[in-house]
Amino acid sequence: PWTFPLTINDVKKSQFNVYPNPTNGVFTIELDDNVKYDVTINNVLGQTVYTTSTTSMNTIIDLSSFEKGIYTIELKNNTSIYTEKVIVE
């Protein structure tokens, strides 16, 4: 049987949710499954401000000591990279 690449409509926007968003700095990264990801959080200038790794479906991140603004959350494993933005206010 032939297999065809997925169309763009078949691809989920991301494999994780971030809530609450906007946040006061403490937020949860909710994954679809228990896959290990390296988590990198960058500020608006592209500087890495926080790194960790996660294998759980819910990971709490505390950026409340950081400046207000928009941060990019990047989840990376051997096969995929997903990004999402979070607003700290």
Side-chain angles (χ1 to χ4, degrees), residues 24-26 61-67 88:
N24 63 359
V26 179
I61 306 286
D62 184 355
L63 297 185
S64 58
S65 62
F66 293 90
E67 293 181 23
V88 177

Side-chain angles (χ1 to χ4, degrees), residues 41-49 70-72:
I41 300 178
N42 297 320
N43 64 17
V44 73
L45 301 175
Q47 299 163 318
T48 299
V49 297
I70 300 172
Y71 292 85
T72 302

Side-chain angles (χ1 to χ4, degrees), residues 13-14 16 18 21 71-74 82-86:
K13 178 175 175 286
S14 69
F16 68 101
V18 177
N21 190 9
Y71 292 85
T72 302
I73 304 164
E74 179 182 276
Y82 303 104
T83 59
E84 195 69 71
K85 295 211 182 313
V86 65

Side-chain angles (χ1 to χ4, degrees), residues 6 15 40 65 79 89:
L6 295 173
Q15 293 293 310
T40 305
S65 62
T79 58
E89 59 182 25

Side-chain angles (χ1 to χ4, degrees), residues 17-79:
N17 292 317
V18 177
Y19 64 88
N21 190 9
T23 173
N24 63 359
V26 179
F27 59 91
T28 300
I29 297 174
E30 181 184 60
L31 298 174
D32 289 349
D33 49 27
N34 288 322
V35 176
K36 183 178 190 299
Y37 288 100
D38 292 321
V39 180
T40 305
I41 300 178
N42 297 320
N43 64 17
V44 73
L45 301 175
Q47 299 163 318
T48 299
V49 297
Y50 188 94
T51 59
T52 187
S53 63
T54 181
T55 54
S56 70
M57 295 191 55
N58 291 294
T59 303
I60 296 173
I61 306 286
D62 184 355
L63 297 185
S64 58
S65 62
F66 293 90
E67 293 181 23
K68 295 176 179 13
I70 300 172
Y71 292 85
T72 302
I73 304 164
E74 179 182 276
L75 269 59
K76 187 187 321 185
N77 65 13
N78 294 335
T79 58

